[in-house]
Amino acid sequence: MATRAIRGATTVKENKKESILNETSRLLRKMIEENNIMNGDIISIIFTVTKDLDAAFPAAAARALGIVHAALLDFPQHEVRDALKMCVRVMMYADMNVMQSEVKHIYLNGAKILRKDLVEEENKIAVALDGPAGSGKSTIAKLVAKKLGLTYIDTGAMYRSVALYCIDKDIDYNNEVDVISELENMNIGILSANKEQRYILNGEDVTELIRSPEVSEGASRVATYKAVREKLVAIQRELASKQSVIMDGRDIGTNVLPNAEIKIFMDGDVEERAKRRYEELSLKGISVTYDEILSDIKQRDHNDSSRAYNPLRKADDAILLDTTNMSIEEVGDFIIGKIDDVIKKD
Ligand code: DC
């Protein structure tokens, strides 16, 4: 036998003694069971807690499980901005008959996202976020992705990239045959840089270029073409197959990821959505009037929901969220709460 180190982590819903001890106990039992460890072979356990958990010493959960001979120590977790909250981390040393590479590290509840590399296929999660233009999807998706460590995928950016390609190459995006004949020349991808997604079209970073009103209009047109949708949906599914994602768009819950664990359909009054988009573009220095934005959004709502292929529609199992009178924080908290509920069912 040799001494091995086993990592584990979990999150707790409330800063209450009972919650901390119950979740820590569940985590320890799972670490012990999954690694076939005898109680007497545990040498020591180090626990850390984030500073929002001060109602109990998690080490007490180990004693309650009958781990009496091991040396136990509680530590405060090193604080990192925006890191996972209400989290108990564990490092257990035990004598075991396996190689260190065979040790099973255990991540429960929201803490699964701390080790995306260890998360098994069935533990991956997908959050589908659909809704009309200006409903706040991208702001919320970025916020949730950052808080939970999910990869954010903006599918609208891909339709925008197709439109930008057409505009740059002087191809009429209203002409379906012309657009489709160029599809194979469009290499559309995402690159992660500094925890941010950059959208790449044929090797060029187009993240900012795809935000103009002209591109918005073109994107809404090319998104009605079946061949365009098929190409982009294949890329989107491939991305979601490799990692836990929060993906926003129009057809994510209904078509791209019909088995997503959480589906949210965000809606809002068209005037409020136009106001938000107007403020967003004004901040970026793009000069447009509120009335132009309002009529553009109405047109896009019409295009997006009336097209034949995968129109904008709430999936039957999606949660409808009207964000007209909600702040960004309220929407973010609501969605994170839903994700937490799903994760904690495991
Ligand atoms: O979300 P956005 O405004 O960036 O999207 C640009 C256009 O792309 C929008 O008019 C609808 C279309 N789109 C789509 O049809 N399906 C998606 N999954 C995402 C966007």
Side-chain angles (χ1 to χ4, degrees), residues 182-198:
E182 281 291 322
L183 261 185
E184 63 179 14
N185 298 324
M186 301 177 204
N187 198 343
I188 291 165
I190 303 185
L191 203 77
S192 286
N194 297 329
K195 295 196 171 172
E196 224 190 84
Q197 306 297 329
R198 307 296 300 176

Side-chain angles (χ1 to χ4, degrees), residues 199-247:
Y199 292 86
I200 311 294
L201 171 64
N202 290 340
E204 191 197 347
D205 185 334
V206 293
T207 313
E208 274 81 36
L209 294 175
I210 54 176
R211 296 294 152 196
S212 73
E214 189 189 8
V215 171
S216 298
E217 191 188 317
S220 156
R221 278 299 299 158
V222 300
T224 62
Y225 306 151
K226 186 167 182 251
V228 170
R229 301 201 71 82
E230 283 172 352
K231 175 179 169 114
L232 299 188
V233 167
I235 300 173
Q236 293 154 14
R237 288 189 180 139
E238 166 79 10
L239 288 165
S241 73
K242 293 188 193 138
Q243 57 207 320
S244 288
V245 294
I246 178 161
M247 188 177 275

Side-chain angles (χ1 to χ4, degrees), residues 31-287:
M31 290 170 76
I32 291 166
E33 273 163 33
E34 292 283 320
N35 290 286
N36 283 318
I37 301 168
M38 302 298 290
N39 199 335
D41 291 332
I42 301 174
I43 297 164
S44 65
I45 312 176
I46 295 169
F47 298 85
T48 76
V49 280
T50 43
K51 77 166 188 246
D52 44 15
L53 294 181
D54 62 1
F57 291 110
R63 293 286 182 239
L65 283 177
I67 303 173
V68 286
H69 300 298
L72 308 178
L73 194 56
D74 290 297
F75 273 108
Q77 171 64 36
H78 169 61
E79 284 293 319
V80 173
R81 208 182 316 129
D82 297 327
L84 192 64
K85 307 266 184 282
M86 313 271 268
C87 185
V88 178
R89 291 170 169 86
V90 172
M91 173 81 94
M92 180 186 287
Y93 296 94
D95 281 334
M96 295 170 68
N97 280 319
V98 297
M99 308 284 286
Q100 177 64 35
S101 57
E102 294 169 304
V103 166
K104 292 187 184 134
H105 306 286
I106 308 291
Y107 291 79
L108 302 179
N109 301 337
K112 280 175 187 162
I113 58 172
L114 292 173
R115 287 296 300 267
K116 280 189 261 179
D117 56 327
L118 295 176
V119 172
E120 291 165 19
E121 187 75 352
E122 71 261 30
N123 287 333
K124 237 175 342 83
I125 66 156
V127 182
L129 197 55
D130 288 303
S135 53
K137 299 183 303 293
S138 65
T139 310
I140 292 301
K142 277 182 209 155
L143 184 149
V144 173
K146 194 171 168 198
K147 280 206 170 155
L148 297 185
L150 306 171
T151 300
Y152 167 47
I153 300 189
D154 172 2
T155 61
M158 299 180 184
Y159 293 92
R160 288 170 177 272
S161 298
V162 172
L164 180 69
Y165 178 95
C166 296
I167 294 165
D168 282 354
K169 293 267 189 280
D170 252 341
I171 296 159
D172 178 6
Y173 55 65
N174 290 301
N175 185 324
E176 181 169 359
V177 175
D178 286 359
V179 174
I180 289 173
S181 68
E182 281 291 322
L183 261 185
E184 63 179 14
N185 298 324
M186 301 177 204
N187 198 343
I188 291 165
I190 303 185
L191 203 77
S192 286
N194 297 329
K195 295 196 171 172
E196 224 190 84
Q197 306 297 329
R198 307 296 300 176
Y199 292 86
I200 311 294
L201 171 64
N202 290 340
E204 191 197 347
D205 185 334
V206 293
T207 313
E208 274 81 36
L209 294 175
I210 54 176
R211 296 294 152 196
S212 73
E214 189 189 8
V215 171
S216 298
E217 191 188 317
S220 156
R221 278 299 299 158
V222 300
T224 62
Y225 306 151
K226 186 167 182 251
V228 170
R229 301 201 71 82
E230 283 172 352
K231 175 179 169 114
L232 299 188
V233 167
I235 300 173
Q236 293 154 14
R237 288 189 180 139
E238 166 79 10
L239 288 165
S241 73
K242 293 188 193 138
Q243 57 207 320
S244 288
V245 294
I246 178 161
M247 188 177 275
D248 79 1
R250 306 294 190 283
D251 60 336
I252 312 304
T254 52
N255 174 49
V256 182
L257 305 174
N259 298 322
E261 282 73 15
I262 303 130
K263 298 182 186 178
I264 310 274
F265 190 91
M266 284 173 60
D267 209 346
D269 289 350
V270 68
E271 284 82 11
E272 175 62 25
R273 290 190 279 122
K275 187 172 140 249
R276 290 177 190 162
R277 189 47 66 89
Y278 172 70
E279 284 165 2
E280 183 190 331
L281 291 177
S282 303
L283 271 179
K284 285 185 186 157
I286 297 175
S287 126

